[in-house]
Amino acid sequence: MKTMQFETSSPEETKKIASDLASTLKGGEVIKAYGDLGAGKTAFCQGLGKALGVKGIINSPTFNLIKVYQGSRFTLYHVDCYRLEKADEERKDLGLEEVMGDSHYITYIEWPMYGNEELLNYHPVITVKFEVLDEERRRISIEDERF
């Protein structure tokens, strides 16, 4: 497993790190994003999506749970499990089994600990952890099981 750490001072720097990660994706990866509210998870997804060729606006799917973006390289599934924190186990099945691991898709999941996290471990997993250092600075740790 390869582990990398970065410190950022702006959303643009966060997006650049995501773009660099996107250049290594082969399809089928699941990216699990952990961090407090406002830590940079959605900005990271925006950088990822742009690098994958998504043309539209990427915003948090908190109230939709899942948003699908067609990119020129892959289809990006942006999942936000935050609202599932208090859901029972039956309601945590989002039906992602059909797309996870498929070489045409990248699945980016915010708050994966509130979803069916066991399911996620059967696919190439990249874990991204966001830590708020102060109002502007963030520490981003990436653990990549592919390497």
Side-chain angles (χ1 to χ4, degrees), residues 43-97:
F44 193 90
C45 190
Q46 290 167 343
L48 192 69
K50 184 173 182 180
L52 297 176
V54 173
K55 300 290 185 205
I57 296 171
I58 294 175
N59 52 27
S60 180
T62 299
F63 297 103
N64 300 71
L65 297 178
I66 302 172
K67 288 191 177 180
V68 181
Y69 300 98
Q70 184 60 53
S72 57
R73 290 185 53 212
F74 301 106
T75 299
L76 175 63
Y77 279 76
H78 185 187
V79 182
D80 187 331
C81 295
Y82 185 73
R83 291 183 58 220
L84 297 177
E85 178 182 13
K86 294 179 177 30
D88 60 32
E89 289 306 311
E90 290 177 9
R91 289 185 40 224
K92 291 185 180 192
D93 181 8
L94 299 173
L96 292 174
E97 304 84 32

Short mmCIF file of all heavy atoms in Angstrom, two decimals, residues 43-97:
data_model
loop_
_atom_site.label_atom_id
_atom_site.label_comp_id
_atom_site.label_asym_id
_atom_site.label_seq_id
_atom_site.Cartn_x
_atom_site.Cartn_y
_atom_site.Cartn_z
N ALA A 43 -14.61 19.46 -2.71
CA ALA A 43 -13.63 20.12 -3.58
C ALA A 43 -12.72 19.08 -4.23
O ALA A 43 -12.40 19.18 -5.42
CB ALA A 43 -12.80 21.13 -2.78
N PHE A 44 -12.35 18.06 -3.48
CA PHE A 44 -11.53 16.99 -4.01
C PHE A 44 -12.27 16.28 -5.15
O PHE A 44 -11.71 16.02 -6.21
CB PHE A 44 -11.18 15.99 -2.90
CG PHE A 44 -10.09 15.03 -3.25
CD1 PHE A 44 -8.76 15.33 -2.98
CD2 PHE A 44 -10.40 13.80 -3.81
CE1 PHE A 44 -7.75 14.43 -3.30
CE2 PHE A 44 -9.40 12.88 -4.12
CZ PHE A 44 -8.08 13.20 -3.86
N CYS A 45 -13.56 16.00 -4.94
CA CYS A 45 -14.37 15.34 -5.97
C CYS A 45 -14.49 16.23 -7.20
O CYS A 45 -14.49 15.73 -8.33
CB CYS A 45 -15.74 14.97 -5.43
SG CYS A 45 -16.69 13.92 -6.55
N GLN A 46 -14.57 17.53 -7.01
CA GLN A 46 -14.64 18.44 -8.15
C GLN A 46 -13.37 18.37 -8.99
O GLN A 46 -13.44 18.33 -10.22
CB GLN A 46 -14.87 19.88 -7.66
CG GLN A 46 -16.24 20.09 -7.07
CD GLN A 46 -16.39 21.39 -6.31
OE1 GLN A 46 -15.41 22.03 -5.92
NE2 GLN A 46 -17.63 21.79 -6.06
N GLY A 47 -12.22 18.32 -8.33
CA GLY A 47 -10.96 18.19 -9.06
C GLY A 47 -10.86 16.85 -9.76
O GLY A 47 -10.37 16.75 -10.89
N LEU A 48 -11.32 15.82 -9.11
CA LEU A 48 -11.33 14.48 -9.69
C LEU A 48 -12.21 14.46 -10.94
O LEU A 48 -11.80 13.99 -12.01
CB LEU A 48 -11.86 13.51 -8.63
CG LEU A 48 -11.73 12.03 -8.86
CD1 LEU A 48 -10.27 11.61 -8.78
CD2 LEU A 48 -12.53 11.28 -7.82
N GLY A 49 -13.42 14.97 -10.80
CA GLY A 49 -14.36 14.98 -11.92
C GLY A 49 -13.85 15.76 -13.11
O GLY A 49 -13.95 15.30 -14.26
N LYS A 50 -13.31 16.93 -12.87
CA LYS A 50 -12.79 17.74 -13.98
C LYS A 50 -11.70 16.98 -14.72
O LYS A 50 -11.65 16.97 -15.95
CB LYS A 50 -12.26 19.08 -13.46
CG LYS A 50 -11.80 19.99 -14.55
CD LYS A 50 -11.43 21.36 -14.05
CE LYS A 50 -11.01 22.23 -15.24
NZ LYS A 50 -10.65 23.57 -14.83
N ALA A 51 -10.80 16.32 -13.98
CA ALA A 51 -9.72 15.57 -14.60
C ALA A 51 -10.25 14.35 -15.36
O ALA A 51 -9.59 13.88 -16.30
CB ALA A 51 -8.72 15.13 -13.54
N LEU A 52 -11.42 13.85 -14.97
CA LEU A 52 -12.03 12.72 -15.68
C LEU A 52 -12.87 13.16 -16.87
O LEU A 52 -13.47 12.34 -17.56
CB LEU A 52 -12.89 11.89 -14.72
CG LEU A 52 -12.15 11.23 -13.56
CD1 LEU A 52 -13.14 10.53 -12.63
CD2 LEU A 52 -11.10 10.25 -14.07
N GLY A 53 -12.94 14.49 -17.09
CA GLY A 53 -13.66 15.01 -18.24
C GLY A 53 -15.11 15.37 -17.99
O GLY A 53 -15.88 15.55 -18.93
N VAL A 54 -15.50 15.52 -16.72
CA VAL A 54 -16.86 15.95 -16.40
C VAL A 54 -16.98 17.44 -16.74
O VAL A 54 -16.15 18.24 -16.32
CB VAL A 54 -17.21 15.71 -14.91
CG1 VAL A 54 -18.56 16.32 -14.55
CG2 VAL A 54 -17.18 14.22 -14.61
N LYS A 55 -18.00 17.80 -17.51
CA LYS A 55 -18.17 19.19 -17.95
C LYS A 55 -19.06 20.01 -17.02
O LYS A 55 -18.91 21.20 -16.91
CB LYS A 55 -18.77 19.24 -19.36
CG LYS A 55 -17.91 18.56 -20.40
CD LYS A 55 -16.65 19.34 -20.66
CE LYS A 55 -15.88 18.68 -21.80
NZ LYS A 55 -14.48 18.97 -21.76
N GLY A 56 -19.98 19.38 -16.33
CA GLY A 56 -20.94 20.10 -15.50
C GLY A 56 -20.39 20.45 -14.12
O GLY A 56 -19.24 20.18 -13.79
N ILE A 57 -21.25 21.06 -13.34
CA ILE A 57 -20.91 21.46 -11.97
C ILE A 57 -21.06 20.25 -11.05
O ILE A 57 -22.08 19.56 -11.08
CB ILE A 57 -21.82 22.61 -11.50
CG1 ILE A 57 -21.57 23.85 -12.35
CG2 ILE A 57 -21.60 22.90 -10.02
CD1 ILE A 57 -22.57 24.96 -12.11
N ILE A 58 -20.05 20.01 -10.23
CA ILE A 58 -20.10 18.94 -9.25
C ILE A 58 -20.34 19.57 -7.89
O ILE A 58 -19.55 20.42 -7.46
CB ILE A 58 -18.80 18.12 -9.25
CG1 ILE A 58 -18.66 17.38 -10.59
CG2 ILE A 58 -18.77 17.14 -8.08
CD1 ILE A 58 -17.36 16.63 -10.74
N ASN A 59 -21.44 19.18 -7.24
CA ASN A 59 -21.70 19.67 -5.89
C ASN A 59 -22.09 18.50 -5.01
O ASN A 59 -22.26 17.39 -5.48
CB ASN A 59 -22.76 20.79 -5.90
CG ASN A 59 -24.01 20.39 -6.63
OD1 ASN A 59 -24.34 19.22 -6.72
ND2 ASN A 59 -24.71 21.36 -7.18
N SER A 60 -22.21 18.74 -3.74
CA SER A 60 -22.46 17.68 -2.78
C SER A 60 -23.82 17.03 -3.01
O SER A 60 -24.83 17.71 -3.14
CB SER A 60 -22.39 18.21 -1.36
OG SER A 60 -22.64 17.17 -0.45
N PRO A 61 -23.86 15.69 -3.05
CA PRO A 61 -25.14 14.99 -3.23
C PRO A 61 -25.85 14.68 -1.92
O PRO A 61 -26.61 13.73 -1.85
CB PRO A 61 -24.70 13.70 -3.93
CG PRO A 61 -23.35 13.43 -3.39
CD PRO A 61 -22.73 14.79 -3.14
N THR A 62 -25.63 15.47 -0.89
CA THR A 62 -26.15 15.17 0.44
C THR A 62 -27.64 14.82 0.43
O THR A 62 -28.06 13.86 1.05
CB THR A 62 -25.91 16.36 1.40
OG1 THR A 62 -24.52 16.58 1.50
CG2 THR A 62 -26.48 16.07 2.78
N PHE A 63 -28.45 15.57 -0.29
CA PHE A 63 -29.89 15.31 -0.26
C PHE A 63 -30.33 14.31 -1.32
O PHE A 63 -31.42 13.79 -1.26
CB PHE A 63 -30.67 16.63 -0.37
CG PHE A 63 -30.39 17.52 0.80
CD1 PHE A 63 -29.54 18.60 0.69
CD2 PHE A 63 -30.95 17.24 2.04
CE1 PHE A 63 -29.27 19.41 1.79
CE2 PHE A 63 -30.67 18.03 3.15
CZ PHE A 63 -29.83 19.12 3.02
N ASN A 64 -29.46 14.01 -2.28
CA ASN A 64 -29.77 13.02 -3.31
C ASN A 64 -29.12 11.67 -2.99
O ASN A 64 -29.50 10.67 -3.57
CB ASN A 64 -29.24 13.47 -4.67
CG ASN A 64 -29.85 14.77 -5.11
OD1 ASN A 64 -29.55 15.81 -4.56
ND2 ASN A 64 -30.72 14.71 -6.10
N LEU A 65 -28.11 11.65 -2.15
CA LEU A 65 -27.27 10.51 -1.81
C LEU A 65 -26.29 10.16 -2.92
O LEU A 65 -25.12 9.94 -2.66
CB LEU A 65 -28.07 9.28 -1.40
CG LEU A 65 -28.93 9.40 -0.16
CD1 LEU A 65 -29.70 8.11 0.08
CD2 LEU A 65 -28.11 9.77 1.06
N ILE A 66 -26.75 10.09 -4.17
CA ILE A 66 -25.87 9.72 -5.29
C ILE A 66 -26.11 10.67 -6.46
O ILE A 66 -27.25 10.93 -6.83
CB ILE A 66 -26.14 8.28 -5.78
CG1 ILE A 66 -25.95 7.28 -4.66
CG2 ILE A 66 -25.24 7.94 -6.97
CD1 ILE A 66 -26.37 5.86 -5.02
N LYS A 67 -25.02 11.16 -7.03
CA LYS A 67 -25.09 11.90 -8.29
C LYS A 67 -24.16 11.21 -9.27
O LYS A 67 -23.09 10.73 -8.90
CB LYS A 67 -24.66 13.36 -8.09
CG LYS A 67 -25.68 14.18 -7.34
CD LYS A 67 -25.36 15.65 -7.39
CE LYS A 67 -26.44 16.45 -6.70
NZ LYS A 67 -26.17 17.89 -6.74
N VAL A 68 -24.58 11.16 -10.51
CA VAL A 68 -23.81 10.49 -11.56
C VAL A 68 -23.37 11.54 -12.57
O VAL A 68 -24.19 12.32 -13.05
CB VAL A 68 -24.66 9.40 -12.24
CG1 VAL A 68 -23.84 8.68 -13.31
CG2 VAL A 68 -25.20 8.41 -11.22
N TYR A 69 -22.07 11.54 -12.87
CA TYR A 69 -21.51 12.49 -13.82
C TYR A 69 -20.81 11.73 -14.94
O TYR A 69 -19.96 10.88 -14.66
CB TYR A 69 -20.49 13.41 -13.14
CG TYR A 69 -21.07 14.22 -12.02
CD1 TYR A 69 -20.93 13.81 -10.70
CD2 TYR A 69 -21.75 15.41 -12.27
CE1 TYR A 69 -21.45 14.56 -9.65
CE2 TYR A 69 -22.27 16.16 -11.22
CZ TYR A 69 -22.12 15.73 -9.92
OH TYR A 69 -22.63 16.48 -8.90
N GLN A 70 -21.17 12.03 -16.17
CA GLN A 70 -20.51 11.40 -17.31
C GLN A 70 -19.26 12.19 -17.66
O GLN A 70 -19.34 13.37 -17.95
CB GLN A 70 -21.45 11.34 -18.52
CG GLN A 70 -20.85 10.62 -19.71
CD GLN A 70 -20.51 9.16 -19.37
OE1 GLN A 70 -21.34 8.42 -18.88
NE2 GLN A 70 -19.27 8.78 -19.61
N GLY A 71 -18.11 11.54 -17.62
CA GLY A 71 -16.87 12.16 -18.01
C GLY A 71 -16.41 11.59 -19.33
O GLY A 71 -16.98 10.62 -19.83
N SER A 72 -15.39 12.16 -19.90
CA SER A 72 -14.86 11.63 -21.16
C SER A 72 -14.04 10.37 -20.93
O SER A 72 -13.91 9.54 -21.83
CB SER A 72 -14.02 12.69 -21.88
OG SER A 72 -12.97 13.13 -21.04
N ARG A 73 -13.49 10.19 -19.73
CA ARG A 73 -12.70 8.99 -19.41
C ARG A 73 -13.53 7.93 -18.71
O ARG A 73 -13.44 6.76 -19.04
CB ARG A 73 -11.50 9.36 -18.54
CG ARG A 73 -10.43 10.16 -19.25
CD ARG A 73 -9.20 10.40 -18.40
NE ARG A 73 -8.66 9.18 -17.85
CZ ARG A 73 -8.03 9.10 -16.68
NH1 ARG A 73 -7.90 10.18 -15.93
NH2 ARG A 73 -7.55 7.96 -16.25
N PHE A 74 -14.30 8.33 -17.70
CA PHE A 74 -15.10 7.39 -16.90
C PHE A 74 -16.38 8.08 -16.46
O PHE A 74 -16.46 9.30 -16.45
CB PHE A 74 -14.34 6.97 -15.62
CG PHE A 74 -13.03 6.31 -15.87
CD1 PHE A 74 -11.84 6.98 -15.62
CD2 PHE A 74 -12.96 5.00 -16.34
CE1 PHE A 74 -10.61 6.37 -15.83
CE2 PHE A 74 -11.74 4.39 -16.55
CZ PHE A 74 -10.57 5.07 -16.31
N THR A 75 -17.33 7.27 -16.03
CA THR A 75 -18.51 7.79 -15.34
C THR A 75 -18.16 7.87 -13.87
O THR A 75 -17.61 6.93 -13.30
CB THR A 75 -19.72 6.86 -15.56
OG1 THR A 75 -20.01 6.79 -16.95
CG2 THR A 75 -20.94 7.38 -14.81
N LEU A 76 -18.44 9.01 -13.26
CA LEU A 76 -18.14 9.24 -11.84
C LEU A 76 -19.42 9.15 -11.02
O LEU A 76 -20.38 9.87 -11.28
CB LEU A 76 -17.49 10.62 -11.67
CG LEU A 76 -17.22 11.08 -10.24
CD1 LEU A 76 -16.20 10.16 -9.55
CD2 LEU A 76 -16.73 12.53 -10.24
N TYR A 77 -19.42 8.24 -10.06
CA TYR A 77 -20.51 8.14 -9.09
C TYR A 77 -20.06 8.86 -7.83
O TYR A 77 -19.07 8.46 -7.22
CB TYR A 77 -20.83 6.67 -8.78
CG TYR A 77 -21.71 6.03 -9.81
CD1 TYR A 77 -21.20 5.64 -11.03
CD2 TYR A 77 -23.06 5.84 -9.55
CE1 TYR A 77 -22.03 5.08 -11.99
CE2 TYR A 77 -23.89 5.27 -10.50
CZ TYR A 77 -23.36 4.89 -11.72
OH TYR A 77 -24.17 4.33 -12.67
N HIS A 78 -20.76 9.93 -7.47
CA HIS A 78 -20.45 10.73 -6.28
C HIS A 78 -21.52 10.41 -5.25
O HIS A 78 -22.69 10.73 -5.43
CB HIS A 78 -20.44 12.21 -6.65
CG HIS A 78 -20.01 13.11 -5.54
ND1 HIS A 78 -20.08 14.48 -5.64
CD2 HIS A 78 -19.51 12.87 -4.31
CE1 HIS A 78 -19.64 15.03 -4.53
NE2 HIS A 78 -19.30 14.07 -3.70
N VAL A 79 -21.11 9.77 -4.17
CA VAL A 79 -22.03 9.27 -3.16
C VAL A 79 -21.75 10.00 -1.84
O VAL A 79 -20.60 10.20 -1.47
CB VAL A 79 -21.83 7.75 -2.96
CG1 VAL A 79 -22.83 7.20 -1.93
CG2 VAL A 79 -21.94 7.01 -4.28
N ASP A 80 -22.80 10.39 -1.15
CA ASP A 80 -22.66 11.02 0.16
C ASP A 80 -23.53 10.24 1.15
O ASP A 80 -24.75 10.28 1.06
CB ASP A 80 -23.09 12.48 0.10
CG ASP A 80 -22.81 13.25 1.38
OD1 ASP A 80 -22.80 12.62 2.46
OD2 ASP A 80 -22.61 14.46 1.30
N CYS A 81 -22.90 9.52 2.06
CA CYS A 81 -23.62 8.66 3.01
C CYS A 81 -23.94 9.37 4.33
O CYS A 81 -24.44 8.72 5.26
CB CYS A 81 -22.80 7.40 3.30
SG CYS A 81 -22.62 6.34 1.86
N TYR A 82 -23.67 10.66 4.43
CA TYR A 82 -23.85 11.38 5.70
C TYR A 82 -25.25 11.18 6.27
O TYR A 82 -25.41 10.95 7.47
CB TYR A 82 -23.54 12.86 5.49
CG TYR A 82 -23.58 13.66 6.77
CD1 TYR A 82 -22.55 13.54 7.70
CD2 TYR A 82 -24.63 14.51 7.06
CE1 TYR A 82 -22.57 14.27 8.89
CE2 TYR A 82 -24.66 15.25 8.24
CZ TYR A 82 -23.63 15.12 9.14
OH TYR A 82 -23.65 15.83 10.31
N ARG A 83 -26.27 11.27 5.44
CA ARG A 83 -27.65 11.16 5.93
C ARG A 83 -28.02 9.75 6.33
O ARG A 83 -29.10 9.51 6.87
CB ARG A 83 -28.62 11.70 4.88
CG ARG A 83 -28.49 13.20 4.73
CD ARG A 83 -29.47 13.79 3.75
NE ARG A 83 -30.84 13.50 4.13
CZ ARG A 83 -31.80 13.19 3.25
NH1 ARG A 83 -31.54 13.10 1.98
NH2 ARG A 83 -33.02 12.96 3.67
N LEU A 84 -27.16 8.77 6.06
CA LEU A 84 -27.44 7.38 6.41
C LEU A 84 -26.93 7.02 7.80
O LEU A 84 -27.07 5.88 8.23
CB LEU A 84 -26.80 6.43 5.38
CG LEU A 84 -27.32 6.54 3.97
CD1 LEU A 84 -26.56 5.60 3.06
CD2 LEU A 84 -28.81 6.26 3.91
N GLU A 85 -26.35 8.00 8.51
CA GLU A 85 -25.75 7.71 9.82
C GLU A 85 -26.70 6.95 10.74
O GLU A 85 -26.31 6.00 11.39
CB GLU A 85 -25.30 9.01 10.49
CG GLU A 85 -24.72 8.78 11.86
CD GLU A 85 -24.32 10.07 12.56
OE1 GLU A 85 -24.69 11.15 12.11
OE2 GLU A 85 -23.63 9.95 13.58
N LYS A 86 -27.95 7.34 10.76
CA LYS A 86 -28.90 6.73 11.68
C LYS A 86 -29.82 5.72 11.00
O LYS A 86 -30.75 5.22 11.60
CB LYS A 86 -29.71 7.83 12.37
CG LYS A 86 -28.85 8.70 13.28
CD LYS A 86 -29.68 9.78 13.92
CE LYS A 86 -28.93 10.65 14.89
NZ LYS A 86 -27.56 10.90 14.73
N ALA A 87 -29.55 5.40 9.75
CA ALA A 87 -30.38 4.45 9.01
C ALA A 87 -30.09 3.03 9.47
O ALA A 87 -28.99 2.71 9.91
CB ALA A 87 -30.12 4.57 7.52
N ASP A 88 -31.10 2.17 9.37
CA ASP A 88 -30.87 0.77 9.70
C ASP A 88 -30.07 0.11 8.56
O ASP A 88 -29.91 0.68 7.49
CB ASP A 88 -32.17 0.03 9.98
CG ASP A 88 -33.14 0.04 8.81
OD1 ASP A 88 -32.70 0.04 7.65
OD2 ASP A 88 -34.36 0.05 9.07
N GLU A 89 -29.55 -1.07 8.81
CA GLU A 89 -28.66 -1.73 7.86
C GLU A 89 -29.31 -1.96 6.49
O GLU A 89 -28.65 -1.87 5.47
CB GLU A 89 -28.14 -3.06 8.43
CG GLU A 89 -27.14 -2.88 9.56
CD GLU A 89 -25.96 -1.98 9.19
OE1 GLU A 89 -25.35 -2.18 8.14
OE2 GLU A 89 -25.66 -1.06 9.97
N GLU A 90 -30.60 -2.26 6.46
CA GLU A 90 -31.27 -2.49 5.18
C GLU A 90 -31.28 -1.24 4.31
O GLU A 90 -31.18 -1.33 3.11
CB GLU A 90 -32.70 -2.97 5.41
CG GLU A 90 -32.78 -4.37 5.98
CD GLU A 90 -34.20 -4.79 6.26
OE1 GLU A 90 -35.13 -4.08 5.87
OE2 GLU A 90 -34.37 -5.86 6.87
N ARG A 91 -31.37 -0.09 4.91
CA ARG A 91 -31.42 1.17 4.15
C ARG A 91 -30.04 1.64 3.74
O ARG A 91 -29.91 2.60 2.99
CB ARG A 91 -32.12 2.24 4.97
CG ARG A 91 -33.62 1.96 5.08
CD ARG A 91 -34.40 3.05 5.77
NE ARG A 91 -33.98 4.38 5.42
CZ ARG A 91 -33.83 5.36 6.31
NH1 ARG A 91 -34.06 5.13 7.58
NH2 ARG A 91 -33.47 6.55 5.92
N LYS A 92 -28.98 0.99 4.19
CA LYS A 92 -27.63 1.41 3.82
C LYS A 92 -27.17 0.79 2.51
O LYS A 92 -26.12 1.11 2.01
CB LYS A 92 -26.65 1.06 4.94
CG LYS A 92 -26.89 1.91 6.17
CD LYS A 92 -25.87 1.66 7.23
CE LYS A 92 -26.18 2.55 8.43
NZ LYS A 92 -25.13 2.58 9.39
N ASP A 93 -27.97 -0.08 1.93
CA ASP A 93 -27.62 -0.68 0.64
C ASP A 93 -28.06 0.29 -0.45
O ASP A 93 -29.24 0.46 -0.72
CB ASP A 93 -28.32 -2.03 0.47
CG ASP A 93 -27.98 -2.68 -0.84
OD1 ASP A 93 -27.09 -2.18 -1.57
OD2 ASP A 93 -28.59 -3.72 -1.14
N LEU A 94 -27.09 0.94 -1.10
CA LEU A 94 -27.39 1.94 -2.11
C LEU A 94 -27.47 1.35 -3.52
O LEU A 94 -27.70 2.06 -4.48
CB LEU A 94 -26.33 3.05 -2.08
CG LEU A 94 -26.24 3.81 -0.77
CD1 LEU A 94 -25.05 4.77 -0.80
CD2 LEU A 94 -27.51 4.58 -0.52
N GLY A 95 -27.25 0.06 -3.64
CA GLY A 95 -27.32 -0.57 -4.95
C GLY A 95 -26.12 -0.29 -5.83
O GLY A 95 -26.22 -0.31 -7.05
N LEU A 96 -24.98 -0.01 -5.23
CA LEU A 96 -23.78 0.33 -6.01
C LEU A 96 -23.02 -0.91 -6.50
O LEU A 96 -22.08 -0.77 -7.25
CB LEU A 96 -22.84 1.19 -5.17
CG LEU A 96 -23.33 2.58 -4.84
CD1 LEU A 96 -22.38 3.26 -3.87
CD2 LEU A 96 -23.48 3.40 -6.10
N GLU A 97 -23.44 -2.09 -6.09
CA GLU A 97 -22.70 -3.30 -6.47
C GLU A 97 -22.56 -3.42 -7.98
O GLU A 97 -21.57 -3.93 -8.47
CB GLU A 97 -23.40 -4.57 -5.95
CG GLU A 97 -23.64 -4.60 -4.47
CD GLU A 97 -24.92 -3.86 -4.07
OE1 GLU A 97 -25.90 -3.83 -4.82
OE2 GLU A 97 -24.90 -3.29 -2.97
#
